[in-house]
Short mmCIF file of all heavy atoms in Angstrom, two decimals:
data_model
loop_
_atom_site.label_atom_id
_atom_site.label_comp_id
_atom_site.label_asym_id
_atom_site.label_seq_id
_atom_site.Cartn_x
_atom_site.Cartn_y
_atom_site.Cartn_z
N ARG A 26 12.84 -13.12 -3.17
CA ARG A 26 12.39 -14.40 -3.76
C ARG A 26 10.97 -14.44 -4.13
O ARG A 26 10.52 -15.22 -5.07
CB ARG A 26 12.74 -15.47 -2.70
CG ARG A 26 14.16 -15.80 -2.33
CD ARG A 26 14.32 -17.00 -1.51
NE ARG A 26 13.81 -16.63 -0.08
CZ ARG A 26 12.99 -17.46 0.47
NH1 ARG A 26 12.62 -18.64 0.00
NH2 ARG A 26 12.54 -17.17 1.80
N HIS A 27 10.20 -13.55 -3.56
CA HIS A 27 8.76 -13.59 -3.88
C HIS A 27 8.15 -12.05 -4.10
O HIS A 27 7.50 -11.56 -3.28
CB HIS A 27 7.93 -14.24 -2.76
CG HIS A 27 8.41 -15.54 -2.26
ND1 HIS A 27 8.29 -16.70 -3.14
CD2 HIS A 27 8.95 -15.97 -1.20
CE1 HIS A 27 8.84 -17.75 -2.56
NE2 HIS A 27 9.27 -17.26 -1.32
N PRO A 28 8.72 -11.43 -5.15
CA PRO A 28 8.49 -9.99 -5.33
C PRO A 28 6.99 -9.71 -5.50
O PRO A 28 6.55 -8.70 -4.77
CB PRO A 28 9.16 -9.70 -6.68
CG PRO A 28 9.39 -10.98 -7.28
CD PRO A 28 9.70 -11.81 -6.21
N GLU A 29 6.13 -10.51 -6.07
CA GLU A 29 4.72 -10.20 -6.29
C GLU A 29 4.08 -10.38 -4.99
O GLU A 29 3.18 -9.61 -4.54
CB GLU A 29 4.19 -11.04 -7.44
CG GLU A 29 4.44 -10.66 -8.82
CD GLU A 29 4.11 -9.29 -9.15
OE1 GLU A 29 3.08 -8.88 -8.81
OE2 GLU A 29 4.97 -8.55 -9.77
N ARG A 30 4.36 -11.38 -4.16
CA ARG A 30 3.79 -11.61 -2.84
C ARG A 30 4.14 -10.39 -2.00
O ARG A 30 3.34 -9.91 -1.27
CB ARG A 30 4.31 -12.92 -2.36
CG ARG A 30 3.60 -13.43 -1.21
CD ARG A 30 4.39 -14.69 -0.74
NE ARG A 30 4.07 -15.89 -1.62
CZ ARG A 30 4.73 -17.07 -1.64
NH1 ARG A 30 5.60 -17.16 -0.58
NH2 ARG A 30 4.47 -17.97 -2.35
N ALA A 31 5.37 -9.91 -2.01
CA ALA A 31 5.82 -8.79 -1.16
C ALA A 31 5.10 -7.51 -1.56
O ALA A 31 4.73 -6.78 -0.59
CB ALA A 31 7.43 -8.67 -1.26
N LYS A 32 4.99 -7.32 -2.91
CA LYS A 32 4.28 -6.07 -3.31
C LYS A 32 2.90 -5.90 -2.87
O LYS A 32 2.34 -5.10 -2.38
CB LYS A 32 4.45 -5.96 -4.86
CG LYS A 32 3.79 -4.63 -5.37
CD LYS A 32 4.01 -4.37 -6.87
CE LYS A 32 5.42 -4.00 -7.12
NZ LYS A 32 5.62 -3.50 -8.54
N ASN A 33 2.18 -7.32 -3.01
CA ASN A 33 0.78 -7.28 -2.52
C ASN A 33 0.72 -6.88 -1.08
O ASN A 33 -0.17 -6.24 -0.61
CB ASN A 33 0.13 -8.62 -2.76
CG ASN A 33 -0.01 -8.78 -4.40
OD1 ASN A 33 -0.14 -7.83 -5.16
ND2 ASN A 33 -0.12 -10.01 -4.80
N ARG A 34 1.59 -7.54 -0.32
CA ARG A 34 1.60 -7.25 1.13
C ARG A 34 1.92 -5.81 1.45
O ARG A 34 1.23 -5.20 2.22
CB ARG A 34 2.65 -8.26 1.84
CG ARG A 34 2.89 -7.96 3.30
CD ARG A 34 1.62 -8.58 3.95
NE ARG A 34 1.80 -8.25 5.43
CZ ARG A 34 0.84 -8.44 6.31
NH1 ARG A 34 -0.36 -8.78 5.98
NH2 ARG A 34 1.12 -8.26 7.71
N ARG A 35 2.84 -5.25 0.83
CA ARG A 35 3.13 -3.78 0.98
C ARG A 35 1.92 -2.98 0.72
O ARG A 35 1.58 -1.95 1.41
CB ARG A 35 4.36 -3.46 0.08
CG ARG A 35 4.70 -1.99 0.19
CD ARG A 35 5.52 -1.46 -1.08
NE ARG A 35 4.65 -1.44 -2.28
CZ ARG A 35 5.11 -1.05 -3.38
NH1 ARG A 35 6.53 -0.75 -3.62
NH2 ARG A 35 4.32 -0.92 -4.47
N ASN A 36 1.28 -3.30 -0.48
CA ASN A 36 0.19 -2.38 -0.91
C ASN A 36 -0.91 -2.56 0.11
O ASN A 36 -1.88 -1.67 0.24
CB ASN A 36 -0.33 -2.94 -2.27
CG ASN A 36 0.78 -2.30 -3.28
OD1 ASN A 36 1.59 -1.57 -2.98
ND2 ASN A 36 0.56 -2.80 -4.52
N LEU A 37 -1.13 -3.74 0.78
CA LEU A 37 -2.21 -3.87 1.83
C LEU A 37 -1.82 -2.90 2.98
O LEU A 37 -2.72 -2.31 3.55
CB LEU A 37 -2.20 -5.25 2.32
CG LEU A 37 -3.11 -5.62 3.48
CD1 LEU A 37 -4.50 -5.25 3.04
CD2 LEU A 37 -3.03 -7.00 3.95
N VAL A 38 -0.52 -2.80 3.35
CA VAL A 38 -0.14 -1.92 4.43
C VAL A 38 -0.54 -0.60 4.00
O VAL A 38 -1.00 0.30 4.81
CB VAL A 38 1.30 -1.97 4.76
CG1 VAL A 38 1.80 -0.90 5.74
CG2 VAL A 38 1.65 -3.43 5.29
N LEU A 39 -0.10 -0.06 2.83
CA LEU A 39 -0.44 1.24 2.30
C LEU A 39 -1.95 1.53 2.28
O LEU A 39 -2.48 2.62 2.63
CB LEU A 39 0.03 1.38 0.88
CG LEU A 39 1.68 1.50 0.77
CD1 LEU A 39 2.00 1.31 -0.69
CD2 LEU A 39 2.17 2.75 1.33
N LYS A 40 -2.88 0.55 1.96
CA LYS A 40 -4.30 0.67 1.85
C LYS A 40 -4.80 0.87 3.26
O LYS A 40 -5.73 1.82 3.48
CB LYS A 40 -4.91 -0.59 1.40
CG LYS A 40 -6.45 -0.43 1.23
CD LYS A 40 -7.05 -1.73 0.66
CE LYS A 40 -8.47 -1.76 0.43
NZ LYS A 40 -9.11 -2.98 -0.07
N VAL A 41 -4.23 0.23 4.22
CA VAL A 41 -4.61 0.44 5.64
C VAL A 41 -4.29 1.93 6.00
O VAL A 41 -5.16 2.57 6.72
CB VAL A 41 -4.04 -0.65 6.63
CG1 VAL A 41 -4.36 -0.25 8.05
CG2 VAL A 41 -4.57 -1.92 6.24
N LEU A 42 -3.20 2.34 5.75
CA LEU A 42 -2.71 3.65 6.06
C LEU A 42 -3.62 4.74 5.47
O LEU A 42 -3.93 5.74 6.15
CB LEU A 42 -1.21 4.00 5.67
CG LEU A 42 -0.13 3.26 6.41
CD1 LEU A 42 1.19 3.36 5.62
CD2 LEU A 42 0.00 3.88 7.81
N TYR A 43 -4.09 4.48 4.23
CA TYR A 43 -4.96 5.33 3.61
C TYR A 43 -6.31 5.45 4.25
O TYR A 43 -6.79 6.49 4.38
CB TYR A 43 -4.96 5.06 2.13
CG TYR A 43 -6.03 5.92 1.31
CD1 TYR A 43 -5.92 7.18 1.23
CD2 TYR A 43 -7.00 5.26 0.70
CE1 TYR A 43 -6.77 8.04 0.54
CE2 TYR A 43 -7.91 5.96 -0.05
CZ TYR A 43 -7.94 7.34 -0.01
OH TYR A 43 -8.84 8.14 -0.76
N GLU A 44 -6.73 4.25 4.49
CA GLU A 44 -8.12 4.02 5.00
C GLU A 44 -8.25 4.71 6.43
O GLU A 44 -9.30 5.14 6.90
CB GLU A 44 -8.66 2.69 4.98
CG GLU A 44 -8.98 2.12 3.64
CD GLU A 44 -9.10 0.64 3.74
OE1 GLU A 44 -8.78 -0.08 4.66
OE2 GLU A 44 -9.73 0.17 2.71
N GLN A 45 -7.13 4.73 7.13
CA GLN A 45 -7.05 5.33 8.52
C GLN A 45 -6.67 6.78 8.43
O GLN A 45 -6.17 7.31 9.51
CB GLN A 45 -6.20 4.48 9.41
CG GLN A 45 -6.64 3.07 9.67
CD GLN A 45 -5.83 2.33 10.58
OE1 GLN A 45 -4.96 2.79 11.12
NE2 GLN A 45 -6.38 1.03 10.91
N ASP A 46 -6.57 7.38 7.30
CA ASP A 46 -6.28 8.75 7.06
C ASP A 46 -4.82 9.10 7.61
O ASP A 46 -4.62 10.24 8.11
CB ASP A 46 -7.29 9.65 7.82
CG ASP A 46 -8.77 9.68 7.16
OD1 ASP A 46 -8.69 9.45 5.91
OD2 ASP A 46 -9.68 9.69 7.92
N LYS A 47 -3.97 8.28 7.49
CA LYS A 47 -2.67 8.45 7.80
C LYS A 47 -1.78 9.08 6.65
O LYS A 47 -0.73 9.69 6.86
CB LYS A 47 -1.90 7.15 8.34
CG LYS A 47 -2.51 6.59 9.67
CD LYS A 47 -2.64 7.67 10.68
CE LYS A 47 -3.13 6.82 11.95
NZ LYS A 47 -3.28 7.77 13.18
N ILE A 48 -2.23 8.76 5.40
CA ILE A 48 -1.55 9.19 4.34
C ILE A 48 -2.64 9.83 3.25
O ILE A 48 -3.85 9.37 3.43
CB ILE A 48 -0.59 8.22 3.62
CG1 ILE A 48 -1.57 7.07 3.17
CG2 ILE A 48 0.47 7.79 4.43
CD1 ILE A 48 -0.80 5.89 2.29
N THR A 49 -2.38 10.60 2.35
CA THR A 49 -3.22 11.23 1.41
C THR A 49 -3.53 10.31 0.34
O THR A 49 -2.74 9.24 0.13
CB THR A 49 -2.75 12.60 0.82
OG1 THR A 49 -1.58 12.33 0.10
CG2 THR A 49 -2.46 13.54 2.00
N GLN A 50 -4.51 10.54 -0.44
CA GLN A 50 -4.73 9.66 -1.68
C GLN A 50 -3.55 9.69 -2.63
O GLN A 50 -3.18 8.73 -3.25
CB GLN A 50 -6.01 10.01 -2.31
CG GLN A 50 -6.31 9.25 -3.58
CD GLN A 50 -7.73 9.63 -4.22
OE1 GLN A 50 -8.30 10.50 -3.93
NE2 GLN A 50 -8.28 8.70 -5.05
N GLN A 51 -3.00 10.89 -2.80
CA GLN A 51 -1.92 11.15 -3.82
C GLN A 51 -0.74 10.25 -3.31
O GLN A 51 0.05 9.63 -4.10
CB GLN A 51 -1.49 12.60 -3.87
CG GLN A 51 -0.24 12.83 -4.84
CD GLN A 51 0.05 14.24 -5.03
OE1 GLN A 51 -0.63 15.12 -4.34
NE2 GLN A 51 0.92 14.55 -5.76
N GLN A 52 -0.36 10.41 -1.87
CA GLN A 52 0.75 9.50 -1.39
C GLN A 52 0.40 8.08 -1.56
O GLN A 52 1.32 7.31 -1.92
CB GLN A 52 0.83 9.90 0.07
CG GLN A 52 1.46 11.20 0.36
CD GLN A 52 1.45 11.44 1.96
OE1 GLN A 52 0.52 11.36 2.54
NE2 GLN A 52 2.47 12.07 2.35
N TYR A 53 -0.82 7.68 -1.29
CA TYR A 53 -1.14 6.17 -1.49
C TYR A 53 -0.95 5.76 -2.88
O TYR A 53 -0.29 4.74 -3.07
CB TYR A 53 -2.75 6.11 -1.07
CG TYR A 53 -3.15 4.69 -1.42
CD1 TYR A 53 -2.67 3.51 -0.78
CD2 TYR A 53 -4.34 4.53 -2.22
CE1 TYR A 53 -3.17 2.21 -1.16
CE2 TYR A 53 -4.78 3.33 -2.53
CZ TYR A 53 -4.28 2.18 -1.98
OH TYR A 53 -4.69 1.03 -2.25
N GLN A 54 -1.43 6.46 -3.81
CA GLN A 54 -1.36 6.02 -5.29
C GLN A 54 0.23 6.09 -5.70
O GLN A 54 0.61 5.03 -6.43
CB GLN A 54 -2.01 6.92 -6.18
CG GLN A 54 -3.65 6.85 -5.99
CD GLN A 54 -4.07 5.49 -6.36
OE1 GLN A 54 -3.55 4.76 -7.11
NE2 GLN A 54 -5.26 5.15 -6.00
N GLN A 55 0.99 7.04 -5.38
CA GLN A 55 2.42 7.10 -5.73
C GLN A 55 3.13 6.05 -5.19
O GLN A 55 3.92 5.35 -5.87
CB GLN A 55 2.98 8.51 -5.37
CG GLN A 55 4.36 8.73 -5.84
CD GLN A 55 4.91 10.12 -5.53
OE1 GLN A 55 4.20 10.93 -4.78
NE2 GLN A 55 5.95 10.49 -6.14
N ALA A 56 2.91 5.81 -3.91
CA ALA A 56 3.63 4.65 -3.21
C ALA A 56 3.20 3.34 -3.72
O ALA A 56 3.89 2.32 -3.91
CB ALA A 56 3.42 4.73 -1.65
N ARG A 57 1.91 3.15 -4.12
CA ARG A 57 1.36 1.89 -4.45
C ARG A 57 1.97 1.57 -5.92
O ARG A 57 2.09 0.39 -6.22
CB ARG A 57 -0.16 1.98 -4.66
CG ARG A 57 -0.77 0.69 -4.77
CD ARG A 57 -2.35 0.77 -4.77
NE ARG A 57 -3.10 -0.36 -4.78
CZ ARG A 57 -3.22 -1.21 -5.89
NH1 ARG A 57 -2.78 -0.77 -7.01
NH2 ARG A 57 -3.93 -2.30 -5.90
#
């Protein structure tokens, strides 16, 4: 129902994972 809202929320989770060195920059960009 709210795809843009969901995508922004998902990307925030990915950003936190990247900033905490849980995923690489390449993984972050590809998933984002």
Side-chain angles (χ1 to χ4, degrees):
R26 293 188 293 131
H27 309 293
E29 286 303 315
R30 194 182 290 170
K32 180 174 283 190
N33 290 335
R34 177 68 180 168
R35 179 201 71 180
N36 289 348
L37 176 61
V38 174
L39 291 168
K40 183 180 179 182
V41 172
L42 286 169
Y43 173 58
E44 290 175 343
Q45 295 186 1
D46 295 326
K47 301 299 183 184
I48 59 176
T49 66
Q50 183 177 9
Q51 182 180 2
Q52 289 175 316
Y53 170 60
Q54 291 295 342
Q55 187 174 11
R57 193 176 188 280

